[in-house]
Amino acid sequence: MVCFRLSPVPGSGLVLLCLVLGAVSSYALELNVTDSEKATCLYAKWQMNFTIHYETTSKTYKTVTISDFSTATYNGSICGDEQNNPKIVVQFGSGFSWTVNFTKEESTYSIDGISFSYNISDNTTFPDAKDKGILTVRDAVGFRIPLNNIFRCNSLSTLEKNGVVQYYWDVHVQAFVQNGTVSTKEFLCEKDKTVTTVVPFVPTTAPSPTVTPAPREKPEVGSYSVNNSNGTCLLATMGLQLNFTHDKVVSVININPNTTDFTGSCQPQTALLRLNGSNIKYLDFVFAVKNENRFYLKEVNVSMYLVNGSAFSIANNNLSYWDAPLGSSYMCNKEQTVSVSGAFQINTFELRVQPFNVMEGKYSTAQECSLDDDTILIPIIVGAGLSGLIIVIVIAYLIGRRKSYAGYQTL
């Protein structure tokens, strides 16, 4: 964790900003604003990124993703007083500014509104942009939270307006903090209140450490994609079933694509697809290029909230699955297992992925997995048949010879 102690803002006290490096170009931002007596009055911790769709001078459109907040400053963040309400103000990158305003009622406080400003005249970030100047997008949020409660929303939330999409997740925020102590009582967003059903495996009665799963339904197949400034850069279609062991209890979760949010990023040598839902903080699939001509699934990271309130997290950056040539896609229609660790496996169904070189938003020619290659069964069947025939002939020959010896009598 890298902490920056910023200069006191008049009327707001001391601001403490901590940036925690997260997964693949993602930063968790943590802000603690204190008053003149060094008591906490406003606390926030969250992750976010932005995509901006803009028109170029050649009448085409480009999309820019903003996800680097390593240079963020918090000038203007205040606790609030009789004349001013509390607010969070963040400056980052080349001319970006993000502001959240809070208001207070009798027994509740509200995340009143969010505004995001960007300088589209910056040719480095927005090459060939038709418009010029600083553009601002304002969204009225209106989340009401009981006083002395901290608002929590681990699920992905989005705001979309005027070509700007704002993504927020892992949000924890409390304004009007009482007695300088951040509350432990959480007020959840609607998405976090929805719990995905966890189907437990049933232990066998035999004296064995293994367990037998209860009947499981095949997961629904979902389609996911990631965009960058050049358009769609990653495609994935798959049904996902998560198998994990926690405190000696084995459980399974089917991912429901209808209630699953997704985001990601694309780089020349790596690509990320991140899924998250009501009880899945994140499920990351990280792809990499090898030997300059092939891609593969290199890393899986997962963090889940269990029904008992505890967390389950696993990461493995040394995998080697879904290998295919660059410029093609990888496909495996039959059930396939990605073993992330001894405690966590992913079963995939009707899988197809292409994390690099996507053209016109469509899959390229697929390389099929060996499980889908039915032609390999023909030589196996023929070989098994011939082997069986040879065994029968040898047995018949041996029986015949034994009978021949029995026909001779000793003189």
Side-chain angles (χ1 to χ4, degrees), residues 232-279:
T232 302
C233 58
L234 183 152
L235 291 170
T237 304
M238 51 191 169
L240 294 171
Q241 190 175 80
L242 311 184
N243 299 272
F244 61 95
T245 303
H246 183 71
D247 291 339
K248 298 181 181 180
V249 177
V250 183
S251 303
V252 60
I253 293 177
N254 283 349
I255 298 294
N256 183 354
N258 299 314
T259 58
T260 300
D261 296 306
F262 56 91
T263 184
S265 62
C266 298
Q267 306 296 332
Q269 297 294 314
T270 60
L272 164 71
L273 173 64
R274 165 169 283 193
L275 309 181
N276 77 305
S278 58
N279 65 332

mmCIF file of all heavy atoms in Angstrom, residues 232-279:
data_model
loop_
_atom_site.group_PDB
_atom_site.id
_atom_site.type_symbol
_atom_site.label_atom_id
_atom_site.label_comp_id
_atom_site.label_asym_id
_atom_site.label_seq_id
_atom_site.Cartn_x
_atom_site.Cartn_y
_atom_site.Cartn_z
ATOM 1 N N THR A 232 -13.985 -3.936 -30.380
ATOM 2 C CA THR A 232 -13.967 -5.157 -29.575
ATOM 3 C C THR A 232 -12.595 -5.810 -29.653
ATOM 4 O O THR A 232 -12.082 -6.060 -30.747
ATOM 5 C CB THR A 232 -15.041 -6.147 -30.051
ATOM 6 O OG1 THR A 232 -16.323 -5.517 -29.989
ATOM 7 C CG2 THR A 232 -15.056 -7.392 -29.186
ATOM 8 N N CYS A 233 -12.014 -6.097 -28.488
ATOM 9 C CA CYS A 233 -10.668 -6.679 -28.458
ATOM 10 C C CYS A 233 -10.641 -8.051 -27.805
ATOM 11 O O CYS A 233 -9.629 -8.757 -27.875
ATOM 12 C CB CYS A 233 -9.692 -5.752 -27.749
ATOM 13 S SG CYS A 233 -10.155 -5.354 -26.040
ATOM 14 N N LEU A 234 -11.739 -8.462 -27.160
ATOM 15 C CA LEU A 234 -11.805 -9.778 -26.524
ATOM 16 C C LEU A 234 -13.234 -10.288 -26.602
ATOM 17 O O LEU A 234 -14.179 -9.546 -26.346
ATOM 18 C CB LEU A 234 -11.346 -9.700 -25.066
ATOM 19 C CG LEU A 234 -11.271 -10.993 -24.252
ATOM 20 C CD1 LEU A 234 -10.207 -10.884 -23.158
ATOM 21 C CD2 LEU A 234 -12.619 -11.344 -23.602
ATOM 22 N N LEU A 235 -13.362 -11.555 -26.961
ATOM 23 C CA LEU A 235 -14.655 -12.212 -27.011
ATOM 24 C C LEU A 235 -14.597 -13.496 -26.187
ATOM 25 O O LEU A 235 -13.588 -14.207 -26.211
ATOM 26 C CB LEU A 235 -15.043 -12.563 -28.457
ATOM 27 C CG LEU A 235 -15.380 -11.408 -29.401
ATOM 28 C CD1 LEU A 235 -15.494 -11.928 -30.830
ATOM 29 C CD2 LEU A 235 -16.661 -10.715 -28.982
ATOM 30 N N ALA A 236 -15.664 -13.797 -25.481
ATOM 31 C CA ALA A 236 -15.743 -15.040 -24.723
ATOM 32 C C ALA A 236 -17.193 -15.487 -24.643
ATOM 33 O O ALA A 236 -18.082 -14.683 -24.375
ATOM 34 C CB ALA A 236 -15.166 -14.864 -23.320
ATOM 35 N N THR A 237 -17.410 -16.755 -24.915
ATOM 36 C CA THR A 237 -18.726 -17.379 -24.774
ATOM 37 C C THR A 237 -18.519 -18.666 -23.993
ATOM 38 O O THR A 237 -17.708 -19.506 -24.382
ATOM 39 C CB THR A 237 -19.340 -17.695 -26.144
ATOM 40 O OG1 THR A 237 -19.405 -16.495 -26.925
ATOM 41 C CG2 THR A 237 -20.741 -18.269 -25.990
ATOM 42 N N MET A 238 -19.242 -18.853 -22.876
ATOM 43 C CA MET A 238 -19.017 -20.041 -22.064
ATOM 44 C C MET A 238 -20.055 -20.145 -20.960
ATOM 45 O O MET A 238 -20.598 -19.155 -20.496
ATOM 46 C CB MET A 238 -17.615 -20.009 -21.443
ATOM 47 C CG MET A 238 -17.272 -18.719 -20.706
ATOM 48 S SD MET A 238 -15.512 -18.630 -20.283
ATOM 49 C CE MET A 238 -15.371 -16.901 -19.754
ATOM 50 N N GLY A 239 -20.322 -21.392 -20.562
ATOM 51 C CA GLY A 239 -21.042 -21.670 -19.339
ATOM 52 C C GLY A 239 -20.031 -21.991 -18.256
ATOM 53 O O GLY A 239 -19.081 -22.747 -18.499
ATOM 54 N N LEU A 240 -20.197 -21.435 -17.071
ATOM 55 C CA LEU A 240 -19.189 -21.551 -16.019
ATOM 56 C C LEU A 240 -19.785 -22.158 -14.757
ATOM 57 O O LEU A 240 -20.842 -21.739 -14.290
ATOM 58 C CB LEU A 240 -18.601 -20.181 -15.681
ATOM 59 C CG LEU A 240 -17.782 -19.498 -16.780
ATOM 60 C CD1 LEU A 240 -17.444 -18.069 -16.386
ATOM 61 C CD2 LEU A 240 -16.507 -20.277 -17.066
ATOM 62 N N GLN A 241 -19.076 -23.123 -14.224
ATOM 63 C CA GLN A 241 -19.461 -23.779 -12.983
ATOM 64 C C GLN A 241 -18.252 -23.782 -12.049
ATOM 65 O O GLN A 241 -17.192 -24.314 -12.393
ATOM 66 C CB GLN A 241 -19.916 -25.210 -13.276
ATOM 67 C CG GLN A 241 -20.564 -25.928 -12.119
ATOM 68 C CD GLN A 241 -21.089 -27.282 -12.572
ATOM 69 O OE1 GLN A 241 -20.321 -28.225 -12.682
ATOM 70 N NE2 GLN A 241 -22.390 -27.365 -12.849
ATOM 71 N N LEU A 242 -18.373 -23.158 -10.891
ATOM 72 C CA LEU A 242 -17.266 -23.018 -9.952
ATOM 73 C C LEU A 242 -17.373 -24.080 -8.871
ATOM 74 O O LEU A 242 -18.412 -24.211 -8.223
ATOM 75 C CB LEU A 242 -17.280 -21.628 -9.315
ATOM 76 C CG LEU A 242 -17.415 -20.422 -10.258
ATOM 77 C CD1 LEU A 242 -17.314 -19.124 -9.459
ATOM 78 C CD2 LEU A 242 -16.376 -20.466 -11.364
ATOM 79 N N ASN A 243 -16.297 -24.835 -8.690
ATOM 80 C CA ASN A 243 -16.232 -25.855 -7.644
ATOM 81 C C ASN A 243 -15.148 -25.462 -6.650
ATOM 82 O O ASN A 243 -13.993 -25.274 -7.041
ATOM 83 C CB ASN A 243 -15.895 -27.215 -8.247
ATOM 84 C CG ASN A 243 -16.936 -27.685 -9.237
ATOM 85 O OD1 ASN A 243 -17.902 -28.321 -8.871
ATOM 86 N ND2 ASN A 243 -16.753 -27.356 -10.518
ATOM 87 N N PHE A 244 -15.503 -25.332 -5.381
ATOM 88 C CA PHE A 244 -14.503 -24.900 -4.409
ATOM 89 C C PHE A 244 -14.693 -25.618 -3.075
ATOM 90 O O PHE A 244 -15.789 -26.068 -2.731
ATOM 91 C CB PHE A 244 -14.554 -23.379 -4.205
ATOM 92 C CG PHE A 244 -15.849 -22.855 -3.680
ATOM 93 C CD1 PHE A 244 -16.040 -22.631 -2.319
ATOM 94 C CD2 PHE A 244 -16.890 -22.568 -4.544
ATOM 95 C CE1 PHE A 244 -17.234 -22.144 -1.836
ATOM 96 C CE2 PHE A 244 -18.100 -22.083 -4.070
ATOM 97 C CZ PHE A 244 -18.263 -21.864 -2.721
ATOM 98 N N THR A 245 -13.596 -25.733 -2.350
ATOM 99 C CA THR A 245 -13.589 -26.377 -1.043
ATOM 100 C C THR A 245 -13.192 -25.355 0.006
ATOM 101 O O THR A 245 -12.155 -24.696 -0.116
ATOM 102 C CB THR A 245 -12.586 -27.544 -1.013
ATOM 103 O OG1 THR A 245 -12.911 -28.471 -2.055
ATOM 104 C CG2 THR A 245 -12.633 -28.266 0.330
ATOM 105 N N HIS A 246 -14.043 -25.202 1.024
ATOM 106 C CA HIS A 246 -13.777 -24.250 2.095
ATOM 107 C C HIS A 246 -14.179 -24.891 3.419
ATOM 108 O O HIS A 246 -15.315 -25.341 3.581
ATOM 109 C CB HIS A 246 -14.565 -22.956 1.875
ATOM 110 C CG HIS A 246 -14.293 -21.898 2.902
ATOM 111 N ND1 HIS A 246 -13.109 -21.212 2.966
ATOM 112 C CD2 HIS A 246 -15.070 -21.415 3.914
ATOM 113 C CE1 HIS A 246 -13.154 -20.351 3.969
ATOM 114 N NE2 HIS A 246 -14.329 -20.464 4.562
ATOM 115 N N ASP A 247 -13.237 -24.956 4.364
ATOM 116 C CA ASP A 247 -13.480 -25.592 5.667
ATOM 117 C C ASP A 247 -14.002 -27.018 5.492
ATOM 118 O O ASP A 247 -14.968 -27.444 6.158
ATOM 119 C CB ASP A 247 -14.462 -24.763 6.498
ATOM 120 C CG ASP A 247 -13.858 -23.446 6.965
ATOM 121 O OD1 ASP A 247 -12.621 -23.349 7.002
ATOM 122 O OD2 ASP A 247 -14.629 -22.510 7.263
ATOM 123 N N LYS A 248 -13.387 -27.741 4.564
ATOM 124 C CA LYS A 248 -13.680 -29.157 4.295
ATOM 125 C C LYS A 248 -15.071 -29.378 3.701
ATOM 126 O O LYS A 248 -15.540 -30.521 3.616
ATOM 127 C CB LYS A 248 -13.518 -29.992 5.577
ATOM 128 C CG LYS A 248 -12.101 -29.975 6.150
ATOM 129 C CD LYS A 248 -12.005 -30.836 7.394
ATOM 130 C CE LYS A 248 -10.594 -30.793 7.964
ATOM 131 N NZ LYS A 248 -10.452 -31.642 9.190
ATOM 132 N N VAL A 249 -15.736 -28.306 3.275
ATOM 133 C CA VAL A 249 -17.038 -28.413 2.624
ATOM 134 C C VAL A 249 -16.869 -28.064 1.150
ATOM 135 O O VAL A 249 -16.343 -27.003 0.815
ATOM 136 C CB VAL A 249 -18.077 -27.481 3.274
ATOM 137 C CG1 VAL A 249 -19.406 -27.557 2.527
ATOM 138 C CG2 VAL A 249 -18.276 -27.848 4.731
ATOM 139 N N VAL A 250 -17.297 -28.971 0.275
ATOM 140 C CA VAL A 250 -17.170 -28.759 -1.166
ATOM 141 C C VAL A 250 -18.496 -28.235 -1.705
ATOM 142 O O VAL A 250 -19.555 -28.801 -1.416
ATOM 143 C CB VAL A 250 -16.788 -30.067 -1.881
ATOM 144 C CG1 VAL A 250 -16.579 -29.822 -3.374
ATOM 145 C CG2 VAL A 250 -15.528 -30.659 -1.261
ATOM 146 N N SER A 251 -18.440 -27.156 -2.466
ATOM 147 C CA SER A 251 -19.657 -26.518 -2.988
ATOM 148 C C SER A 251 -19.492 -26.192 -4.460
ATOM 149 O O SER A 251 -18.384 -26.198 -4.993
ATOM 150 C CB SER A 251 -19.969 -25.235 -2.204
ATOM 151 O OG SER A 251 -20.103 -25.499 -0.825
ATOM 152 N N VAL A 252 -20.612 -25.919 -5.100
ATOM 153 C CA VAL A 252 -20.602 -25.592 -6.527
ATOM 154 C C VAL A 252 -21.539 -24.414 -6.775
ATOM 155 O O VAL A 252 -22.595 -24.298 -6.151
ATOM 156 C CB VAL A 252 -21.025 -26.803 -7.388
ATOM 157 C CG1 VAL A 252 -22.425 -27.269 -7.039
ATOM 158 C CG2 VAL A 252 -20.940 -26.481 -8.876
ATOM 159 N N ILE A 253 -21.109 -23.525 -7.663
ATOM 160 C CA ILE A 253 -21.920 -22.373 -8.070
ATOM 161 C C ILE A 253 -21.980 -22.345 -9.590
ATOM 162 O O ILE A 253 -20.951 -22.415 -10.264
ATOM 163 C CB ILE A 253 -21.327 -21.048 -7.569
ATOM 164 C CG1 ILE A 253 -21.385 -20.963 -6.046
ATOM 165 C CG2 ILE A 253 -22.076 -19.858 -8.172
ATOM 166 C CD1 ILE A 253 -20.756 -19.700 -5.497
ATOM 167 N N ASN A 254 -23.173 -22.254 -10.143
ATOM 168 C CA ASN A 254 -23.347 -22.002 -11.568
ATOM 169 C C ASN A 254 -23.433 -20.497 -11.797
ATOM 170 O O ASN A 254 -24.268 -19.818 -11.192
ATOM 171 C CB ASN A 254 -24.618 -22.674 -12.083
ATOM 172 C CG ASN A 254 -24.447 -24.165 -12.280
ATOM 173 O OD1 ASN A 254 -23.330 -24.685 -12.224
ATOM 174 N ND2 ASN A 254 -25.543 -24.867 -12.520
ATOM 175 N N ILE A 255 -22.590 -19.977 -12.658
ATOM 176 C CA ILE A 255 -22.624 -18.551 -12.976
ATOM 177 C C ILE A 255 -23.837 -18.248 -13.850
ATOM 178 O O ILE A 255 -24.034 -18.871 -14.897
ATOM 179 C CB ILE A 255 -21.339 -18.123 -13.711
ATOM 180 C CG1 ILE A 255 -20.102 -18.342 -12.836
ATOM 181 C CG2 ILE A 255 -21.424 -16.660 -14.144
ATOM 182 C CD1 ILE A 255 -20.039 -17.467 -11.618
ATOM 183 N N ASN A 256 -24.635 -17.292 -13.402
ATOM 184 C CA ASN A 256 -25.794 -16.851 -14.183
ATOM 185 C C ASN A 256 -25.398 -15.623 -14.989
ATOM 186 O O ASN A 256 -25.215 -14.538 -14.426
ATOM 187 C CB ASN A 256 -26.957 -16.516 -13.254
ATOM 188 C CG ASN A 256 -28.219 -16.111 -14.007
ATOM 189 O OD1 ASN A 256 -28.198 -15.980 -15.229
ATOM 190 N ND2 ASN A 256 -29.305 -15.910 -13.293
ATOM 191 N N PRO A 257 -25.254 -15.747 -16.304
ATOM 192 C CA PRO A 257 -24.803 -14.595 -17.104
ATOM 193 C C PRO A 257 -25.769 -13.422 -17.094
ATOM 194 O O PRO A 257 -25.367 -12.291 -17.357
ATOM 195 C CB PRO A 257 -24.650 -15.183 -18.515
ATOM 196 C CG PRO A 257 -25.511 -16.392 -18.528
ATOM 197 C CD PRO A 257 -25.494 -16.944 -17.129
ATOM 198 N N ASN A 258 -27.031 -13.681 -16.773
ATOM 199 C CA ASN A 258 -28.025 -12.598 -16.769
ATOM 200 C C ASN A 258 -27.856 -11.659 -15.577
ATOM 201 O O ASN A 258 -28.361 -10.536 -15.601
ATOM 202 C CB ASN A 258 -29.439 -13.191 -16.760
ATOM 203 C CG ASN A 258 -29.709 -14.049 -17.980
ATOM 204 O OD1 ASN A 258 -29.399 -13.660 -19.100
ATOM 205 N ND2 ASN A 258 -30.284 -15.220 -17.764
ATOM 206 N N THR A 259 -27.184 -12.124 -14.528
ATOM 207 C CA THR A 259 -26.954 -11.283 -13.353
ATOM 208 C C THR A 259 -25.473 -11.057 -13.103
ATOM 209 O O THR A 259 -25.077 -10.685 -12.001
ATOM 210 C CB THR A 259 -27.582 -11.944 -12.104
ATOM 211 O OG1 THR A 259 -27.010 -13.246 -11.907
ATOM 212 C CG2 THR A 259 -29.094 -12.072 -12.256
ATOM 213 N N THR A 260 -24.665 -11.289 -14.127
ATOM 214 C CA THR A 260 -23.213 -11.148 -14.013
ATOM 215 C C THR A 260 -22.737 -9.950 -14.832
ATOM 216 O O THR A 260 -23.074 -9.837 -16.017
ATOM 217 C CB THR A 260 -22.495 -12.417 -14.499
ATOM 218 O OG1 THR A 260 -22.906 -13.532 -13.701
ATOM 219 C CG2 THR A 260 -20.988 -12.265 -14.398
ATOM 220 N N ASP A 261 -21.986 -9.073 -14.198
ATOM 221 C CA ASP A 261 -21.390 -7.935 -14.901
ATOM 222 C C ASP A 261 -19.984 -8.293 -15.337
ATOM 223 O O ASP A 261 -19.328 -9.176 -14.764
ATOM 224 C CB ASP A 261 -21.355 -6.714 -13.995
ATOM 225 C CG ASP A 261 -22.755 -6.244 -13.614
ATOM 226 O OD1 ASP A 261 -23.563 -6.015 -14.529
ATOM 227 O OD2 ASP A 261 -23.032 -6.121 -12.411
ATOM 228 N N PHE A 262 -19.497 -7.604 -16.359
ATOM 229 C CA PHE A 262 -18.160 -7.908 -16.852
ATOM 230 C C PHE A 262 -17.467 -6.649 -17.346
ATOM 231 O O PHE A 262 -18.108 -5.688 -17.796
ATOM 232 C CB PHE A 262 -18.213 -8.964 -17.967
ATOM 233 C CG PHE A 262 -19.095 -8.611 -19.146
ATOM 234 C CD1 PHE A 262 -18.592 -7.948 -20.251
ATOM 235 C CD2 PHE A 262 -20.444 -8.951 -19.134
ATOM 236 C CE1 PHE A 262 -19.403 -7.632 -21.331
ATOM 237 C CE2 PHE A 262 -21.272 -8.631 -20.208
ATOM 238 C CZ PHE A 262 -20.746 -7.979 -21.304
ATOM 239 N N THR A 263 -16.172 -6.674 -17.226
ATOM 240 C CA THR A 263 -15.318 -5.599 -17.738
ATOM 241 C C THR A 263 -13.967 -6.227 -18.067
ATOM 242 O O THR A 263 -13.830 -7.446 -18.042
ATOM 243 C CB THR A 263 -15.179 -4.456 -16.707
ATOM 244 O OG1 THR A 263 -14.422 -3.388 -17.274
ATOM 245 C CG2 THR A 263 -14.494 -4.947 -15.442
ATOM 246 N N GLY A 264 -12.978 -5.426 -18.386
ATOM 247 C CA GLY A 264 -11.665 -5.982 -18.716
ATOM 248 C C GLY A 264 -10.784 -4.977 -19.410
ATOM 249 O O GLY A 264 -11.097 -3.778 -19.482
ATOM 250 N N SER A 265 -9.680 -5.466 -19.926
ATOM 251 C CA SER A 265 -8.734 -4.602 -20.627
ATOM 252 C C SER A 265 -7.925 -5.440 -21.608
ATOM 253 O O SER A 265 -7.799 -6.658 -21.456
ATOM 254 C CB SER A 265 -7.793 -3.909 -19.628
ATOM 255 O OG SER A 265 -7.033 -4.869 -18.920
ATOM 256 N N CYS A 266 -7.382 -4.787 -22.612
ATOM 257 C CA CYS A 266 -6.573 -5.454 -23.637
ATOM 258 C C CYS A 266 -5.247 -4.727 -23.801
ATOM 259 O O CYS A 266 -5.223 -3.502 -23.980
ATOM 260 C CB CYS A 266 -7.297 -5.479 -24.981
ATOM 261 S SG CYS A 266 -8.864 -6.394 -24.973
ATOM 262 N N GLN A 267 -4.161 -5.474 -23.715
ATOM 263 C CA GLN A 267 -2.819 -4.974 -23.959
ATOM 264 C C GLN A 267 -2.177 -5.825 -25.057
ATOM 265 O O GLN A 267 -2.685 -6.903 -25.385
ATOM 266 C CB GLN A 267 -1.985 -5.026 -22.674
ATOM 267 C CG GLN A 267 -2.614 -4.329 -21.479
ATOM 268 C CD GLN A 267 -2.782 -2.833 -21.681
ATOM 269 O OE1 GLN A 267 -2.022 -2.223 -22.433
ATOM 270 N NE2 GLN A 267 -3.763 -2.240 -21.006
ATOM 271 N N PRO A 268 -1.061 -5.371 -25.646
ATOM 272 C CA PRO A 268 -0.444 -6.161 -26.722
ATOM 273 C C PRO A 268 -0.076 -7.581 -26.319
ATOM 274 O O PRO A 268 -0.175 -8.503 -27.132
ATOM 275 C CB PRO A 268 0.804 -5.340 -27.075
ATOM 276 C CG PRO A 268 0.464 -3.938 -26.690
ATOM 277 C CD PRO A 268 -0.400 -4.058 -25.472
ATOM 278 N N GLN A 269 0.365 -7.776 -25.072
ATOM 279 C CA GLN A 269 0.815 -9.098 -24.642
ATOM 280 C C GLN A 269 -0.111 -9.776 -23.641
ATOM 281 O O GLN A 269 0.067 -10.964 -23.348
ATOM 282 C CB GLN A 269 2.224 -8.996 -24.032
ATOM 283 C CG GLN A 269 3.299 -8.538 -25.009
ATOM 284 C CD GLN A 269 3.542 -9.545 -26.122
ATOM 285 O OE1 GLN A 269 3.653 -10.740 -25.876
ATOM 286 N NE2 GLN A 269 3.630 -9.066 -27.353
ATOM 287 N N THR A 270 -1.070 -9.051 -23.084
ATOM 288 C CA THR A 270 -1.992 -9.624 -22.108
ATOM 289 C C THR A 270 -3.405 -9.096 -22.342
ATOM 290 O O THR A 270 -3.590 -8.029 -22.942
ATOM 291 C CB THR A 270 -1.577 -9.288 -20.660
ATOM 292 O OG1 THR A 270 -1.570 -7.865 -20.497
ATOM 293 C CG2 THR A 270 -0.213 -9.874 -20.327
ATOM 294 N N ALA A 271 -4.380 -9.850 -21.859
ATOM 295 C CA ALA A 271 -5.781 -9.423 -21.931
ATOM 296 C C ALA A 271 -6.499 -9.943 -20.695
ATOM 297 O O ALA A 271 -6.201 -11.041 -20.207
ATOM 298 C CB ALA A 271 -6.441 -9.949 -23.199
ATOM 299 N N LEU A 272 -7.426 -9.148 -20.189
ATOM 300 C CA LEU A 272 -8.153 -9.491 -18.968
ATOM 301 C C LEU A 272 -9.651 -9.470 -19.211
ATOM 302 O O LEU A 272 -10.183 -8.533 -19.801
ATOM 303 C CB LEU A 272 -7.813 -8.483 -17.857
ATOM 304 C CG LEU A 272 -8.751 -8.459 -16.640
ATOM 305 C CD1 LEU A 272 -8.571 -9.714 -15.806
ATOM 306 C CD2 LEU A 272 -8.533 -7.213 -15.798
ATOM 307 N N LEU A 273 -10.322 -10.528 -18.742
ATOM 308 C CA LEU A 273 -11.780 -10.548 -18.650
ATOM 309 C C LEU A 273 -12.126 -10.700 -17.181
ATOM 310 O O LEU A 273 -11.717 -11.674 -16.535
ATOM 311 C CB LEU A 273 -12.372 -11.708 -19.451
ATOM 312 C CG LEU A 273 -13.884 -11.923 -19.278
ATOM 313 C CD1 LEU A 273 -14.671 -10.727 -19.791
ATOM 314 C CD2 LEU A 273 -14.332 -13.207 -19.967
ATOM 315 N N ARG A 274 -12.869 -9.752 -16.626
ATOM 316 C CA ARG A 274 -13.262 -9.786 -15.211
ATOM 317 C C ARG A 274 -14.776 -9.904 -15.110
ATOM 318 O O ARG A 274 -15.521 -9.103 -15.688
ATOM 319 C CB ARG A 274 -12.784 -8.541 -14.476
ATOM 320 C CG ARG A 274 -13.455 -8.324 -13.132
ATOM 321 C CD ARG A 274 -12.805 -7.250 -12.307
ATOM 322 N NE ARG A 274 -11.568 -7.730 -11.704
ATOM 323 C CZ ARG A 274 -10.929 -7.087 -10.732
ATOM 324 N NH1 ARG A 274 -11.411 -5.952 -10.251
ATOM 325 N NH2 ARG A 274 -9.811 -7.560 -10.238
ATOM 326 N N LEU A 275 -15.226 -10.916 -14.374
ATOM 327 C CA LEU A 275 -16.648 -11.103 -14.101
ATOM 328 C C LEU A 275 -16.905 -10.829 -12.625
ATOM 329 O O LEU A 275 -16.052 -11.120 -11.779
ATOM 330 C CB LEU A 275 -17.080 -12.537 -14.424
ATOM 331 C CG LEU A 275 -16.710 -13.095 -15.801
ATOM 332 C CD1 LEU A 275 -17.245 -14.521 -15.949
ATOM 333 C CD2 LEU A 275 -17.231 -12.211 -16.912
ATOM 334 N N ASN A 276 -18.065 -10.290 -12.315
ATOM 335 C CA ASN A 276 -18.441 -10.166 -10.910
ATOM 336 C C ASN A 276 -19.952 -10.105 -10.779
ATOM 337 O O ASN A 276 -20.664 -9.719 -11.708
ATOM 338 C CB ASN A 276 -17.777 -8.957 -10.231
ATOM 339 C CG ASN A 276 -18.443 -7.661 -10.591
ATOM 340 O OD1 ASN A 276 -18.580 -7.349 -11.770
ATOM 341 N ND2 ASN A 276 -18.863 -6.901 -9.615
ATOM 342 N N GLY A 277 -20.431 -10.566 -9.619
ATOM 343 C CA GLY A 277 -21.863 -10.613 -9.373
ATOM 344 C C GLY A 277 -22.158 -10.381 -7.916
ATOM 345 O O GLY A 277 -21.334 -9.826 -7.172
ATOM 346 N N SER A 278 -23.333 -10.834 -7.480
ATOM 347 C CA SER A 278 -23.787 -10.517 -6.136
ATOM 348 C C SER A 278 -22.870 -11.071 -5.057
ATOM 349 O O SER A 278 -22.605 -10.409 -4.062
ATOM 350 C CB SER A 278 -25.207 -11.047 -5.935
ATOM 351 O OG SER A 278 -25.249 -12.446 -6.154
ATOM 352 N N ASN A 279 -22.388 -12.307 -5.228
ATOM 353 C CA ASN A 279 -21.505 -12.870 -4.215
ATOM 354 C C ASN A 279 -20.131 -13.225 -4.771
ATOM 355 O O ASN A 279 -19.350 -13.895 -4.112
ATOM 356 C CB ASN A 279 -22.141 -14.106 -3.555
ATOM 357 C CG ASN A 279 -22.324 -15.238 -4.547
ATOM 358 O OD1 ASN A 279 -22.479 -14.999 -5.741
ATOM 359 N ND2 ASN A 279 -22.342 -16.467 -4.059
#
